[in-house]
Amino acid sequence: MPGSVARPLAWVTVSTNSPGSPGIEPIAHAAPVSLCAREPYVPADRLVAEMVPPPRFDSVRFGTYLPDPNQPSQTEAVGVLESFAGGLGGAHAAGTAKRGFLGFGARKPKAPAGPRGVYLDGGYGVGKTHLLASLWHATPAEPALKAFGTFVELTNLVGALGFQQTVKTLSGHRLLCIDEFELDDPGDTVLVSTLLGKLVEAGVALAATSNTLPGKLGEGRFAAADFLREIQGLSAHFRALRIDGEDYRHRGLPDAPAPYGDEVVTKAAYATEGASLDDFPGLLDHLAKVHPSRYGALTDGLRAVCLTDVGPVPDQSTALRLVVLADRLYDREVPVLASGLPFDRLFSEEMLNGGYRKKYFRAISRLTALARDAQRLTES
């Protein structure tokens, strides 16, 4: 396994079926890998190649989205997005530009009239990423002419390629989908807004999502207004779609399992092929040494993440790195089995009431879903 550390046959102390009689049992042919032993290198071309819907959303389509019958805005959004995708089948606007001698003097393509983008506004867990990925799949263009990534991944791409090269790389695309557009980092928002302006001029259609907190009075109006204000010059190119509803990840499902003991987590890690095993404080320290753009590569080949001694996240920088890791694990459907503190107690009240609260609530929601998925690891 790339990046893993070879270890000898593992033997750990576990409880036998006899009450009060601990025993020694061989559990797996090799010990689990450690994320802390991985320091992946990700070339820029991989960042570009991976701008597609993540594995969790490989097979989603508009037809697999199940609107809540009590939320008509969800059904309406599906219809609008299907129509939007159907309108993207023509030749790319930039492809009609006539080029001069050696490519110089090219006539600047004129951006299509009317809204050339959609913005999905709503709380976390209402299926916005499902719909955004469905739009990507439904757009009649080769995969190489469509790009899909989170706001963070897009800023990472600019960092890796440089601004001008990123514009050049994406200008030939028919559609760019940006998941989790962040409004809480003014610098990055201005950077991406400038990039989007260049892409709109080149004829690229845009789609974006962003989270708002459920239960907040006027959240839809304010979120849409914030988004359009931050991308000032692009406002006319977006149609805002409000999607109401509750977090589907927990709709009608039992509460997340309580954290397990260290022994249970360790045993499951050794018994699960492709699992990792780390203590939570050590993992948080390691994340500071790996750029967030590499967190996806950090999880390559993993089938489960096992964590011991989960506790409160000490500071905001660490918390934001954990959010990115949670997103990558969720995208890749990697279950998370943990001991220690429940995931809904990772972040302090100050964090949950601060400017990054949307990210923290999303991380809690996703980690809770992954913890529920991990229950099967303890049943063998």
Side-chain angles (χ1 to χ4, degrees):
M1 184 179 299
S4 63
V5 177
R7 299 182 183 180
L9 176 66
W11 296 74
V12 298
T13 302
V14 297
S15 297
T16 64
N17 291 331
S18 302
S21 300
I24 304 294
E25 297 180 5
I27 301 185
H29 295 297
V33 300
S34 168
L35 292 178
C36 294
R38 293 182 163 191
E39 295 185 13
Y41 167 73
V42 182
D45 58 350
R46 173 172 170 172
L47 293 177
V48 176
E50 290 185 342
M51 291 199 71
V52 296
R56 178 177 287 271
F57 300 98
D58 275 345
S59 60
V60 302
R61 298 294 187 272
F62 289 125
T64 64
Y65 181 78
L66 302 177
D68 185 338
N70 297 317
Q71 303 292 346
S73 61
Q74 296 184 8
T75 301
E76 179 185 2
V78 172
V80 171
L81 290 172
E82 284 181 323
S83 297
F84 184 74
L88 299 179
H92 187 279
T96 63
K98 294 183 178 180
R99 305 191 67 79
F101 180 66
L102 296 179
F104 294 102
R107 204 168 59 222
K108 199 175 195 179
K110 183 178 180 181
R116 189 66 178 166
V118 290
Y119 164 63
L120 308 183
D121 167 43
Y124 58 87
V126 295
K128 298 187 304 300
T129 302
H130 183 136
L131 291 173
L132 192 68
S134 298
L135 172 63
W136 188 94
H137 288 298
T139 296
E142 294 296 320
L145 295 179
K146 302 180 285 187
F148 184 107
T150 65
F151 182 89
V152 171
E153 288 172 327
L154 189 58
T155 58
N156 289 338
L157 183 66
V158 175
L161 299 182
F163 184 83
Q164 295 300 332
Q165 184 59 39
T166 302
V167 172
K168 182 178 179 181
T169 299
L170 298 179
S171 286
H173 284 57
R174 193 163 298 169
L175 173 69
L176 171 62
C177 296
I178 308 170
D179 200 20
E180 309 295 354
F181 199 104
E182 307 291 359
L183 301 176
D184 41 31
D185 188 320
D188 282 347
T189 301
V190 170
L191 172 69
V192 173
S193 298
T194 305
L195 171 65
L196 298 186
K198 297 290 186 181
L199 297 180
V200 167
E201 290 178 2
V204 181
L206 307 174
T209 74
S210 186
N211 280 335
T212 56
L213 285 174
K216 181 178 178 183
L217 183 62
E219 58 170 339
R221 294 188 299 276
F222 295 150
D226 287 346
F227 178 80
L228 296 177
R229 182 181 65 248
E230 292 291 347
I231 58 169
Q232 301 167 9
L234 298 176
S235 299
H237 296 285
F238 279 90
R239 172 178 177 177
L241 295 178
R242 172 65 188 166
I243 304 177
D244 298 297
E246 59 182 278
D247 186 349
Y248 79 91
R249 284 183 283 269
H250 310 296
R251 185 191 306 158
L253 295 175
D255 292 337
Y260 298 91
D262 287 351
E263 183 179 283
V264 173
V265 173
T266 301
K267 179 181 177 181
Y270 278 89
T272 304
E273 183 180 356
S276 66
L277 176 62
D278 295 273
D279 70 274
F280 189 66
L283 177 60
L284 294 183
D285 289 341
H286 184 63
L287 292 180
K289 304 172 186 176
V290 180
H291 192 275
S293 65
R294 302 177 184 178
Y295 287 4
L298 189 69
T299 67
D300 280 352
L302 289 185
R303 297 178 63 184
V305 166
C306 298
L307 300 172
T308 59
D309 196 24
V310 171
V313 179
D315 57 73
Q316 192 132 263
S317 295
T318 302
L320 292 174
R321 288 191 288 267
L322 180 60
V323 167
V324 177
L325 179 64
D327 286 342
R328 300 292 80 78
L329 292 173
Y330 183 78
D331 288 344
R332 289 158 175 77
E333 300 182 282
V334 180
V336 179
L337 189 71
S339 68
L341 206 65
F343 288 134
D344 60 2
R345 292 169 58 190
L346 284 174
F347 308 109
S348 67
E349 285 299 319
E350 182 180 2
M351 292 179 184
L352 294 178
N353 291 320
Y356 297 104
R357 62 189 181 277
K358 291 182 289 186
K359 294 184 179 182
Y360 299 144
F361 277 103
R362 182 179 80 236
I364 291 170
S365 172
R366 290 184 166 185
L367 287 172
T368 298
L370 295 177
R372 189 180 291 116
D373 293 342
Q375 285 181 283
R376 59 180 171 78
L377 301 180
T378 67
E379 296 170 357
S380 58

